[in-house]
């Protein structure tokens, strides 16, 4: 299993868990005492979607795409750190929460445009990184500011939509990295684009 596929599988599993967790929190208004840890793990799952994209044929196309993906990776590392730090240092956590989505969104927009221009992926999948970046900047950040963030139901529903996009991106990368079985198992694998 290559790095892109392994990262995409892990991202798919984690972001797949994130959606019912967030929706359940939005409906019930409940957050477990270890919610900060669960949310940090969810952000690591989102990070793994970016890593999978970076290791894929789309992510390796051009310096602009790599720089954008690096910025998005840093953004997701910062948001995961913010989740861990917030319970003991809310001021630092809030500062990190304010910077991280901007890094992630700007990075995904940059990488998304480069991926579209490179023409590596066909169909609507090629628009996923750009769509996720635009959603982060145009929807997620304004809703977090306007609602005050979680546990506000609107903030949780918006995060649920964000995680749905991460899930779709993970599935798309996974679909593009599946391998066909060669006639001789000892031969190299064939990557489907």
């Amino acid at each position: 299993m290559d790095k892109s596929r392994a990262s995409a599988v892990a991202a798919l599993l984690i972001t797949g868990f994130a959606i019912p967790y967030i929706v359940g929190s939005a409906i019930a208004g409940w957050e477990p005492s270890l919610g900060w840890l669960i949310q940090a793990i969810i952000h690591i799952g989102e990070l793994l979607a970016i890593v999978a994209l970076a290791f894929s044929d789309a992510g390796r196309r051009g310096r602009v795409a790599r720089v954008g993906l690096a910025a998005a990776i840093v953004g997701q590392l910062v948001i995961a750190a913010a989740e861990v730090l917030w319970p003991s240092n809310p001021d630092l956590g809030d500062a990190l929460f304010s910077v991280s989505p901007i890094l992630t969104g700007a990075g995904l927009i940059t990488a998304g445009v480069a991926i579209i221009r490179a023409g590596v992926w066909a169909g609507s999948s090629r628009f996923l990184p750009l769509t996720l970046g635009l959603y982060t900047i145009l929807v997620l950040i304004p809703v977090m500011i306007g609602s005050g963030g979680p546990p506000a139901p609107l903030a949780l529903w918006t995060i649920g939509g964000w995680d749905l996009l991460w899930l779709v991106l993970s599935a798309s990368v996974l679909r593009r990295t599946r391998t066909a079985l060669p006639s001789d198992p000892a031969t190299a694998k064939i990557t489907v684009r």
Side-chain angles (χ1 to χ4, degrees):
M1 187 179 289
D2 67 14
K3 293 176 186 176
S4 182
R5 185 170 174 79
S7 300
V9 167
L12 192 67
L13 292 172
I14 295 170
T15 58
F17 162 78
I19 295 167
Y21 170 78
I22 296 296
V23 168
S25 295
I27 292 170
W30 168 82
E31 183 176 333
S33 59
L34 290 178
W36 59 271
L37 179 60
I38 294 168
Q39 291 153 13
I41 292 168
I42 290 169
H43 294 308
I44 296 299
E46 298 158 354
L47 166 71
L48 289 171
I50 302 168
V51 169
L53 184 60
F55 283 127
S56 76
D57 56 343
R60 292 186 295 231
R61 293 291 177 120
R63 188 169 66 159
V64 173
R66 288 191 303 271
V67 167
L69 292 171
I73 287 169
V74 170
Q76 288 308 112
L77 286 171
V78 171
I79 200 169
E83 294 286 2
V84 172
L85 293 170
W86 193 86
S88 62
N89 192 341
D91 291 336
L92 178 58
D94 286 342
L96 295 176
F97 280 127
S98 67
V99 171
S100 58
I102 296 168
L103 282 169
T104 298
L108 287 170
I109 290 169
T110 303
V113 169
I115 289 167
I116 291 168
R117 292 185 75 179
V120 179
W121 286 359
S124 60
S125 295
R126 72 176 180 259
F127 296 104
L128 282 170
L130 177 61
T131 301
L132 187 51
L134 289 171
Y135 184 91
T136 304
I137 298 295
L138 300 176
V139 178
L140 182 74
I141 293 171
V143 168
M144 293 302 118
I145 292 168
S147 69
L154 180 59
L156 291 172
W157 285 109
T158 302
I159 293 169
W162 198 48
D163 278 318
L164 181 60
L165 286 170
W166 286 111
L167 178 73
V168 172
L169 177 64
S170 303
S172 181
V173 174
L174 183 60
R175 187 180 75 234
R176 298 203 179 287
T177 60
R178 71 177 182 255
T179 55
L181 293 174
S183 57
D184 176 9
T187 62
K189 62 186 172 187
I190 302 167
T191 301
V192 176
R193 292 185 185 188

